Amino acid sequence: MESTFSSPAEASLQREAGAAGLLTPLADLDRVYELERVVGFVRDLGCQRVALQFPDQLLGDAGAVATRLEEITGSKMFILGDTAYGSCCVDVLGSEQAGAQALVHFGPACLSPPARPLPITFVLGQRAVALELCAKAFEALNPDATAPVVLLSEPACAHALEALATLLRPRYLDLLVSSPALPLPTGYLNSVPEPLERFGRCFPLAPGRCLEEYGAFYVGGSKDSPGSDLDPDLSRLLLGWAPGQPFSSCCPETGQCQDESARAGRLRAHRHYLVERARDARVVGLLVGTLGVARYREALAHFRNLTQAAGKRSYVLALGRPTPAKLANFPEVDIFVLLACPLGALAPQPSGGFFRPVLAPCELEAACNPAWPPPGLAPHLTHYADLLPGSPFHVPLPPPDSELWDTPDVSLITGELRPAPTWKPPNALGCSALTPQPQLELAESSPAGECATSSPPAELFPRFSHLSLSFPSLAALFLSSRSWQGLEPCLGQTPVTGVVSGRRGIAIAYEDEGNS
């Protein structure tokens, strides 16, 4: 049966196996993959085992690149492909299994810090950029020569930003050029003040200036289908950029440009809707979207405490790359939150869509933390590390006795009043001060050894002294409301019979079915 939540039956029969063909001519391998710089990186470290990570679209060149590097360096190369999560993240687990001493990452990268220390170099690629066409597009979109503008680009076009700025600076004086925030080598000491790092880029701001003063001109995107699914890197910039500043994009090959303000408004409106869905949700599924980015364990603990404080039940799910078929197995979950790198959390969803909405960590923080600033005043943070303690954007949860927890709230989706979460007393034995109290129900007396605070004093309810209070499971309540609850065991009702021989053969033709 084919549906949104299952793959077509013919897909496995029509799939062709075999290695992908060479994508890049052999004469251009050194230039496209910057093999001279990679060779210098390997020789400087003296590595004997090096891991080469390629995205799926570049695996056709992986064999030729590895062979060329082995011939030049004499080191053993290991090709990492088919990553469990996004190919933009460094696969430190795969490199550790290969015993690699260093890693070379090819293709688009999120530049997130890895979970384990490992010498890494990035080859972002060098996409062709028509500088004259992009300069004309910039002048058409920015007639005011005194307006502050930042030059942004996708990682593969970053090599051409300085040349583009050289063409524009005779007329535009307040021009800022961003650069990829590549990790510094281990033990590197920099005496120059570090520039502002946001969105995986470095911004060399002058003293007294802030990024919110600048508009943006983005070089990148697809020339074939500019209106298709938005690139996650561009989505991250549109969501996090100051709403009052202009934002435009330009295709590097054709110079075709467009104003992205309307698209940014639609993205923000959709994110506000997801926040409302998160506030209405009772069960939250935390999807583990990475095992190689730093502080992912701390982020899981943070969001579990956050949902618990908001009176919601959370479950941690490690399913690899999320697909509609995988997430449809959990109908009890109201929303899913993908804990991944900034590009993985904003990756375009499949055309069929998911059974439940998939949120970024920032939406869950805005929905469950009453101290979070209201929409329009809070920045949209695309990396979960910005929400954790130690970050300048971290907003701690208010204490249980704060009035913020009692603020009336009405759902903009259902129109119903949301009940405020209630708390256990801070001095309750064996219970945390930030443990929500769900709706209570009467149940039979629990066995000895359970938390004594779950039952009220018997003298308060003399008629129900043999009963106690228990917390119902949201999963059990959901199961009881379903019309089909699984196969009936019928314990003790099935007669006992002896063992008999079963059918022999395969499903398409058993031996006792004859030739028909």
Side-chain angles (χ1 to χ4, degrees):
M1 182 181 69
E2 299 180 15
S3 68
T4 304
F5 310 113
S6 62
S7 302
E10 302 83 10
S12 58
L13 300 177
Q14 298 175 356
R15 186 181 300 117
E16 296 182 1
L22 192 65
L23 303 176
T24 306
L26 291 176
D28 297 335
L29 281 180
D30 293 359
R31 176 186 59 84
V32 173
Y33 291 97
E34 304 179 37
L35 297 187
E36 183 178 355
R37 182 169 66 87
V38 175
V39 169
F41 168 76
V42 175
R43 287 178 174 174
D44 292 343
L45 295 176
C47 301
Q48 298 301 320
R49 302 169 67 88
V50 181
L52 307 179
Q53 181 177 344
F54 290 84
D56 296 341
Q57 64 269 20
L58 297 180
L59 281 177
D61 293 340
V65 172
T67 302
R68 182 73 61 87
L69 290 176
E70 286 184 346
E71 294 174 353
I72 300 176
T73 63
S75 302
K76 181 65 176 178
M77 301 293 166
F78 297 87
I79 299 175
L80 302 181
D82 191 23
T83 54
Y85 300 101
S87 59
C88 61
C89 301
V90 175
D91 190 4
V92 292
L93 296 180
S95 61
E96 285 183 354
Q97 293 175 357
Q101 300 167 318
L103 187 143
V104 182
H105 186 283
F106 296 93
C110 60
L111 302 179
S112 301
R116 298 172 179 82
L118 184 70
I120 304 170
T121 187
F122 293 90
V123 179
L124 302 176
Q126 295 187 2
R127 184 178 176 183
V129 178
L131 296 178
E132 296 291 341
L133 297 178
C134 293
K136 293 181 180 179
F138 183 93
E139 294 173 354
L141 291 172
N142 298 275
D144 187 2
T146 61
V149 182
V150 177
L151 290 181
L152 303 166
S153 73
E154 63 180 42
C157 298
H159 65 94
L161 286 187
E162 283 293 346
L164 179 61
T166 303
L167 295 177
L168 297 173
R169 274 186 177 134
R171 178 183 175 187
Y172 296 89
L173 302 179
D174 199 353
L175 201 62
L176 190 66
V177 180
S178 64
S179 60
L182 298 174
L184 297 176
T186 305
Y188 178 81
L189 297 178
N190 189 7
S191 58
V192 181
E194 296 183 0
L196 175 66
E197 185 174 332
R198 293 280 303 277
F199 313 112
R201 296 165 172 82
C202 294
F203 299 91
L205 293 171
R209 302 296 298 273
C210 60
L211 193 59
E212 288 72 16
E213 302 174 1
Y214 288 81
F217 182 80
Y218 180 85
V219 179
S222 174
K223 62 180 179 179
D224 299 327
S225 54
S228 60
D229 289 336
L230 203 59
D231 181 74
D233 182 59
L234 182 55
S235 299
R236 169 170 62 168
L237 292 169
L238 292 178
L239 287 171
W241 208 258
Q245 297 296 338
F247 197 110
S248 56
S249 64
C250 175
C251 178
E253 289 90 359
T254 63
Q256 181 182 0
C257 57
Q258 61 178 347
D259 186 8
E260 300 288 353
S261 301
R263 189 182 297 185
R266 291 193 296 268
L267 284 176
R268 295 190 187 98
H270 180 64
R271 294 296 160 179
H272 294 334
Y273 165 76
L274 294 179
V275 171
E276 288 295 316
R277 289 292 300 265
R279 288 171 177 164
D280 291 340
R282 299 180 60 190
V283 181
V284 179
L286 301 177
L287 299 176
V288 180
T290 180
L291 296 177
V293 180
R295 305 183 70 181
Y296 76 93
R297 292 180 182 270
E298 184 180 350
L300 278 176
H302 170 76
F303 289 111
R304 292 188 68 181
N305 294 334
L306 181 67
T307 54
Q308 185 182 15
K312 305 179 188 298
R313 185 70 59 86
S314 64
Y315 297 93
V316 178
L317 305 174
L319 307 174
R321 293 185 183 182
T323 62
K326 291 179 182 178
L327 301 189
N329 292 320
F330 306 95
E332 304 88 353
V333 178
D334 297 323
I335 60 168
F336 294 95
V337 180
L338 181 58
L339 300 181
C341 70
L343 301 186
L346 297 175
Q349 297 183 359
S351 58
F354 288 96
F355 182 64
R356 300 291 190 206
V358 180
L359 283 68
C362 185
E363 280 101 45
L364 182 65
E365 184 80 23
C368 298
N369 190 348
W372 190 259
L377 300 179
H380 191 283
L381 307 174
T382 55
H383 195 8
Y384 60 75
D386 295 331
L387 305 171
L388 302 180
S391 169
F393 301 101
H394 172 67
V395 178
L397 282 173
D401 56 352
S402 174
E403 297 180 354
L404 295 175
W405 295 106
D406 300 329
T407 304
D409 189 17
V410 177
S411 172
L412 299 181
I413 299 177
T414 63
E416 299 178 356
L417 181 67
R418 297 192 185 101
T422 55
W423 306 98
K424 290 185 178 181
N427 56 354
L429 298 177
C431 301
S432 170
L434 292 182
T435 302
Q437 290 183 349
Q439 184 181 0
L440 303 180
E441 64 178 2
L442 292 176
E444 293 295 335
S445 299
S446 57
E450 292 187 354
C451 180
T453 58
S454 61
S455 301
E459 57 272 12
L460 296 181
F461 303 96
R463 294 183 56 189
F464 303 98
S465 59
H466 64 289
L467 301 178
S468 62
L469 295 177
S470 64
F471 301 111
S473 170
L474 294 179
L477 292 177
F478 180 85
L479 180 63
S480 62
S481 63
R482 300 181 64 174
S483 59
W484 187 80
Q485 302 179 4
L487 300 177
E488 298 181 1
C490 299
L491 298 178
Q493 304 178 15
T494 305
V496 179
T497 59
V499 179
V500 297
S501 299
R503 308 180 74 177
R504 302 174 62 89
I506 59 177
I508 194 173
Y510 291 103
E511 293 180 357
D512 58 346
E513 290 182 345
N515 297 327
S516 59

